[in-house]
């Protein structure tokens, strides 16, 4: 195995890290896997093996299907909007104009806020009695009565997505901006002198530089959106009528409210599996994109 | 005395002082809303620490919505709290899972005879007591006296049908757009309002081990809620309100009626932050003609010792202090005492005679939410059903039938 002294020493140096990884990632994962095949409860009795029963029950439940749908809706719209808005703002901030530095600094603020603060802030904005959104829309004449944004299934999900986009598009904008700075000026100048219009310059000169970094942003944001918990917990707690209950909320409910640690673990692993498949798919896409870019 | 000796003496005093102070540390978990305020609980605890200088109590406050899960989670990870506040709906689950210590043997005759009999239902499960009752609470009907008199209504509603009629009159007179405010968010608060109505209509949650709320009084209760929403008598935002939102709307003068816990009386009627100060009336929640005179949900809470506590004796002393009559009388402004004789004590009743009268009627008919270890599951299914009916996604009957199926019972 150790072909020479150097490889041996490299392994030796990595050993502490491997030990830490096994302890903090490997062991909990193995233990969760073990739990998922039992009827373990959080406290009290339980812990007998039940085979695949937890998985079958979870996958077959109406709650799982509705939570999966809510999670997918949230993830697709949030991540999609964050990417589009992020790139547009990145392009804007890459232009030379007065106050650009200040704007760049300001844009980071939402992203720097803890999610708890962000969620509380938006809940106040959406407040059906005294919220700023209702006041603004009424003054603009767009609505004639205050709306219950978080109290209707249709608007509650949209309201959550808006709050998430507001917090997270700056990350995509920042990544785009960094990538844009790397586009060589002489190639852009050459494209201009060749008579390429703005769209063609963006499509053929700028975009290839953006694809790689954007794929990274896409992977990161998708994983995070799929795991969303705190934002929803604070703003709607899964309501109204469970229309915004995400998979993570369902895990929490199973494991902690109902104390069924075993089926909570099985659901957590199902989510992990879905995210892993998504991440592998994205990585394959990324490799293809990188191949095309070069 | 020379300086060295002085310093040595001081050090010795300081050392023994510190040692005596830090002998026992208790961790206690409370909630951060309704009933006693955080400041009240801190003050009660300070007086305990003064009397017991060898015990220090670390307080932690979480919203009601986090109380159950935080307690269970800390037990799952080996403990952490010695004393926990628990809701009347949890003793069954806590007892079956060994979360709380059985304290039946510690309860003295004086406690048994002095505390209101109904209060014990908060902490008892299958003949054993798992703590001491501490907050004795139910939902009352609050009303804005000025709005009622403007609409020519002399007496507060005695039945739920009266409430509908009075609300319609107030709405028609243009006094307020949505006369009634409730806490119908997807949370336990909605189940409490629903239970109050269920008890008024003579319904039942469980019969012979099976769900029974989907017909009879249980169905009539949700029918009433949906109809009140549909008619525009209930504030449509009620479906995302918790108790504090109801209080905000009511004390801002945007509702004529509101269903809420004891604590709202003094905050809405006596504090400067309220724009309806001095105009707040309170009665026991109404009944239904021919079925009930008043209605009420048992929303009481108790203090218990966790099974993982290393200091159960000190924890018990702390609970005895917190639930003692002098302490409860001194802080009766936001939560009424559990002691029967407090209700004739002028120190307690002064300035809140209306509330005490309402309590006399309400506390006597407090309806329990079912004592089952699967309560959490049943409650969440009901919350979803209630919201589906309020949002018009299903008829009350369909919604409750689905809830019964989902209830895990």
């Amino acid at each position: 195995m150790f072909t020479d002294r150097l490889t041996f020493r490299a392994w030796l140096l990595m050993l502490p890290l491997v030990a830490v990884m096994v302890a903090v990632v490997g062991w909990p994962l193995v233990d969760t896997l073990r739990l998922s095949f039992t009827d373990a409860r959080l406290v009290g009795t339980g812990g007998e093996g039940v085979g695949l029963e937890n998985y079958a029950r979870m996958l077959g439940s109406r709650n799982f299907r509705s939570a999966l749908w809510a999670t997918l809706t949230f993830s697709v719209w949030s991540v999609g909007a964050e990417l589009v808005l992020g790139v547009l703002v990145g392009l804007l901030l890459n232009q030379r104009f007065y106050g650009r530095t200040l704007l760049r600094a300001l844009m980071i603020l939402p992203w720097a806020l803890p999610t708890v603060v962000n969620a509380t802030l938006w809940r106040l904005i959406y407040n059906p009695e005294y919220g700023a959104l209702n006041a603004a829309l009424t003054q603009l004449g767009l609505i004639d009565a205050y709306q219950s944004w978080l109290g209707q299934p249709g608007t509650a999900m949209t309201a959550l997505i808006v709050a998430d986009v507001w917090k997270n598009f700056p990350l995509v904008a920042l990544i785009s901006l960094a990538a844009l700075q790397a586009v060589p000026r002489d190639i852009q100048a050459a494209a201009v002198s060749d008579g390429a219009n703005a769209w063609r310059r963006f499509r053929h000169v700028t975009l290839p530089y953006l694809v790689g970094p954007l794929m990274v942003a896409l992977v990161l944001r998708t994983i995070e959106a799929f795991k969303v918990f705190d934002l929803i917990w604070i703003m709607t707690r899964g309501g109204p009528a469970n229309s915004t209950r995400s998979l993570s909320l369902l895990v929490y409910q199973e494991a902690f409210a109902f104390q069924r640690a075993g089926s909570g673990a099985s659901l957590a692993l199902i989510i992990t599996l879905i995210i892993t498949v998504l991440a592998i798919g994205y990585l394959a896409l990324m490799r293809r994109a990188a191949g095309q870019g070069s | 005395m020379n300086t060295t000796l002085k310093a040595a003496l001081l050090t010795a005093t300081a050392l023994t002082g510190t040692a005596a102070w830090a002998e026992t540390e208790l961790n206690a978990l409370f909630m951060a809303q309704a009933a006693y305020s955080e400041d009240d609980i801190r003050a009660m605890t300070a007086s305990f620490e003064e009397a017991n200088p060898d015990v220090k109590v670390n307080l932690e406050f979480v919203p009601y919505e986090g109380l159950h899960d935080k307690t269970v989670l800390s037990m799952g990870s080996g403990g952490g709290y010695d004393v926990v506040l628990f809701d009347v709906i949890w003793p069954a689950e806590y007892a079956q899972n060994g979360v709380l210590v059985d304290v039946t043997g510690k309860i003295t005759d004086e406690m048994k005879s002095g505390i209101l009999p109904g209060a014990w239902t908060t902490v008892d499960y299958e003949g054993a007591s798992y703590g001491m009752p501490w907050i004795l609470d139910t939902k009352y009907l609050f009303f804005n006296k000025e709005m009622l008199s403007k609409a020519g209504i002399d007496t507060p509603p005695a039945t739920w049908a009266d409430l509908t009629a009075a609300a319609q009159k107030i709405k028609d007179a243009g006094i307020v757009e949505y006369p009634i405010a409730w806490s119908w968010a997807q949370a336990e608060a909605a189940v409490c309002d629903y239970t109050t109505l269920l008890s008024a209509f003579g319904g039942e949650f469980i019969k012979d081990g099976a769900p029974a709320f989907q017909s009879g009084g249980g169905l009539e209760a949700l029918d009433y809620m949906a109809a009140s929403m549909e008619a525009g008598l209930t504030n449509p935002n009620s479906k995302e309100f918790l108790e504090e939102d109801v209080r905000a709307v009511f004390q801002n003068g945007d509702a004529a009626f509101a269903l809420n816990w004891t604590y709202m009386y003094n905050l809405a009627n006596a504090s400067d932050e309220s724009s309806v100060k001095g105009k707040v009336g309170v009665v026991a929640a109404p009944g239904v003609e021919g079925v009930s005179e008043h209605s009420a949900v048992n929303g009481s809470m108790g203090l218990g010792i966790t099974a993982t506590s290393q200091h159960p004796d000190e924890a018990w002393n702390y609970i005895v202090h917190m639930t003692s009559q002098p302490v409860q009388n001194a802080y009766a402004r936001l939560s009424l005492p559990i002691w029967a004789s407090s209700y004739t004590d002028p120190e307690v009743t002064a300035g809140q005679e209306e509330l005490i009268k309402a309590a006399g009627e309400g506390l006597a008919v407090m309806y329990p939410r079912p004592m089952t270890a699967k309560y959490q599951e049943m409650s969440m299914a009901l919350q979803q059903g209630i919201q589906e009916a309020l949002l018009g996604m299903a008829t009350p009957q369909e919604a409750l039938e689905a809830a019964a199926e989902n209830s895990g019972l």
Side-chain angles (χ1 to χ4, degrees):
Chain A
M1 188 178 173
F2 306 119
T3 46
D4 52 42
R5 281 176 64 90
L6 203 64
T7 320
F8 176 71
R9 274 169 64 187
W11 272 101
L12 207 64
L13 284 170
M14 276 187 31
L15 210 60
L17 181 71
V18 172
V20 169
M21 289 294 279
V22 167
V24 301
V25 180
W27 183 78
L29 203 63
V30 170
D31 199 48
T32 309
L33 190 66
R34 181 192 64 77
L35 261 185
S36 74
F37 297 118
T38 69
D39 62 357
R41 299 179 56 78
L42 205 57
V43 291
T45 52
E48 299 294 313
V50 292
L52 289 169
E53 194 190 301
N54 289 333
Y55 288 90
R57 198 168 57 83
M58 283 278 93
L59 288 171
S61 75
R62 203 175 66 159
N63 285 344
F64 175 77
R65 284 193 296 277
S66 80
L68 180 65
W69 179 246
T71 310
L72 281 172
T73 311
F74 177 83
S75 304
V76 168
W77 286 101
S78 292
V79 176
E82 282 157 22
L83 281 188
V84 173
L85 199 60
V87 171
L88 289 178
V89 172
L91 285 168
L92 176 76
L93 291 178
N94 196 38
Q95 308 298 315
R96 285 172 194 282
F97 59 89
Y98 181 73
R100 180 173 74 159
T101 320
L102 179 71
L103 205 61
R104 282 183 182 177
L106 279 180
M107 196 200 57
I108 290 300
L109 277 179
W111 186 60
L113 281 181
T115 310
V116 178
V117 178
N118 178 50
T120 310
L121 199 80
W122 279 95
R123 210 177 60 174
L124 287 173
I125 293 173
Y126 291 133
N127 185 298
E129 297 282 329
Y130 322 106
L133 181 67
N134 274 319
L137 292 178
T138 315
Q139 277 165 25
L140 290 170
L142 293 172
I143 51 171
D144 46 11
Y146 276 30
Q147 302 293 313
S148 166
W149 302 104
L150 297 174
Q152 307 279 357
T155 53
M157 182 53 92
T158 313
L160 286 172
I161 292 170
V162 168
D164 192 62
V165 170
W166 184 78
K167 176 170 163 53
N168 288 309
F169 88 84
L171 174 71
V172 183
L174 203 68
I175 291 175
S176 308
L177 185 61
L180 287 168
Q181 308 262 300
V183 181
R185 301 237 173 263
D186 48 347
I187 300 187
Q188 284 179 313
V192 173
S193 62
D194 285 348
N197 63 23
W199 166 247
R200 291 181 73 90
R201 286 204 306 276
F202 174 72
R203 173 70 189 82
H204 297 289
V205 179
T206 315
L207 197 61
Y209 283 90
L210 274 176
V211 169
L214 278 184
M215 285 304 290
V216 175
L218 183 66
V219 173
L220 287 177
R221 285 302 312 138
T222 306
I223 292 174
E224 277 192 9
F226 216 83
K227 294 189 304 185
V228 63
F229 179 86
D230 36 10
L231 183 85
I232 298 183
W233 186 251
I234 290 165
M235 288 178 66
T236 63
R237 292 175 59 86
N242 284 337
S243 59
T244 61
R245 184 173 59 180
S246 70
L247 286 169
S248 296
L249 256 76
L250 202 59
V251 175
Y252 180 85
Q253 187 179 303
E254 276 294 315
F256 304 125
F258 301 164
Q259 292 205 42
R260 291 196 287 252
S263 60
S266 71
L267 188 57
L269 285 172
I270 293 170
I271 300 177
T272 311
L273 195 71
I274 298 175
I275 292 179
T276 311
V277 168
L278 277 175
I280 291 173
Y282 277 157
L283 287 175
L285 264 177
M286 219 157 129
R287 246 179 248 125
R288 253 184 53 198
Q292 279 174 353
S294 64
Chain B
M1 206 188 291
N2 67 37
T3 359
T4 326
L5 190 61
K6 254 191 222 168
L9 261 176
L10 269 175
T11 319
T13 323
L15 276 178
T16 46
T18 323
W21 264 32
E23 247 168 39
T24 309
E25 273 198 33
L26 295 177
N27 295 311
L29 183 67
F30 289 94
M31 76 173 171
Q33 81 217 40
Y36 298 113
S37 75
E38 260 187 66
D39 289 342
D40 287 349
I41 296 170
R42 286 187 198 285
M44 293 176 194
T45 304
S47 67
F48 170 77
E49 287 176 333
E50 231 168 76
N52 300 268
D54 54 338
V55 182
K56 184 180 178 328
V57 187
N58 302 315
L59 300 175
E60 194 177 324
F61 295 89
V62 292
Y64 169 82
E65 285 74 29
L67 199 54
H68 169 272
D69 300 350
K70 188 120 182 160
T71 303
V72 173
L73 200 55
S74 82
M75 294 302 291
S77 56
Y81 301 111
D82 300 280
V83 175
V84 288
L85 177 66
F86 61 90
D87 200 0
V88 60
I89 49 189
W90 303 329
E93 179 196 339
Y94 282 5
Q96 284 188 12
N97 292 312
V99 174
L100 294 177
V101 174
D102 178 353
V103 294
T104 318
K106 292 177 186 272
I107 293 165
T108 63
D109 290 340
E110 192 198 344
M111 290 171 178
K112 269 185 201 146
S113 58
I115 291 172
L116 289 164
W120 290 108
T121 59
T122 314
V123 295
D124 287 355
Y125 178 67
E126 291 191 341
S129 296
Y130 290 89
M132 282 285 283
W134 186 49
I135 294 168
L136 190 63
D137 216 343
T138 186
K139 290 221 169 177
Y140 297 94
L141 181 69
F142 294 88
F143 57 96
N144 185 315
K145 290 177 180 171
E146 195 181 64
M147 288 185 186
L148 260 64
S149 75
K150 258 192 209 165
I153 301 165
D154 307 326
T155 50
T159 66
W160 289 102
D162 287 351
L163 176 69
T164 304
Q168 190 69 56
K169 213 167 169 187
I170 290 168
K171 189 180 171 82
D172 291 345
I175 296 165
V176 62
E177 193 179 1
Y178 300 115
I180 321 171
W182 318 71
S183 44
W184 290 349
Q186 184 168 330
E188 189 59 32
V191 180
C192 290
D193 282 7
Y194 172 74
T195 306
T196 309
L197 282 158
L198 176 141
S199 81
F201 284 101
E204 268 179 300
F205 277 105
I206 300 176
K207 202 174 180 181
D208 305 325
F213 50 74
Q214 67 276 34
S215 61
L219 178 58
E220 285 175 73
L222 190 55
D223 275 336
Y224 183 89
M225 292 163 79
S228 174
M229 183 75 103
E230 176 89 34
L233 300 177
T234 280
N235 187 321
N237 299 329
S238 293
K239 59 189 183 289
E240 62 169 292
F241 284 167
L242 289 174
E243 290 90 338
E244 281 294 82
D245 304 304
V246 170
R247 179 165 77 92
V249 168
F250 184 78
Q251 69 182 27
N252 205 37
D254 294 331
F257 298 102
L259 209 68
N260 213 338
W261 307 105
T262 310
Y263 84 107
M264 185 162 100
Y265 184 68
N266 273 295
L267 290 182
N269 202 36
S271 79
D272 289 329
E273 61 174 292
S274 169
S275 65
V276 296
K277 189 178 168 179
K279 301 172 191 165
V280 179
V282 62
V283 285
V288 168
E289 213 180 327
V291 183
S292 57
E293 233 169 84
H294 306 290
S295 54
V297 52
N298 187 353
S300 305
M301 298 180 89
L303 287 174
I305 306 167
T306 62
T308 48
S309 171
Q310 301 291 312
H311 311 287
D313 293 332
E314 289 85 351
W316 177 249
N317 290 341
Y318 177 59
I319 291 175
V320 169
H321 171 83
M322 297 296 274
T323 55
S324 68
Q325 194 165 12
V327 170
Q328 289 224 314
N329 285 359
Y331 297 93
R333 214 174 51 82
L334 296 179
S335 183
L336 293 173
I338 52 172
W339 299 86
S341 60
S342 295
Y343 290 79
T344 49
D345 182 345
E347 193 194 323
V348 173
T349 56
Q352 43 185 15
E353 290 79 4
E354 256 183 274
L355 178 66
I356 299 286
K357 182 175 177 290
E361 292 162 349
L363 296 180
V365 294
M366 284 199 297
Y367 195 85
R369 284 163 283 166
M371 281 275 181
T372 157
K374 287 204 165 166
Y375 182 78
Q376 293 294 320
E377 227 171 316
M378 195 209 81
S379 168
M380 292 221 193
L382 254 178
Q383 291 168 28
Q384 184 178 357
I386 290 170
Q387 291 233 308
E388 281 173 356
L390 294 176
L391 288 159
M393 295 161 73
T395 65
Q397 181 150 21
E398 289 163 357
L400 287 178
E401 271 164 12
E405 218 169 281
N406 252 340
S407 64
L409 293 168

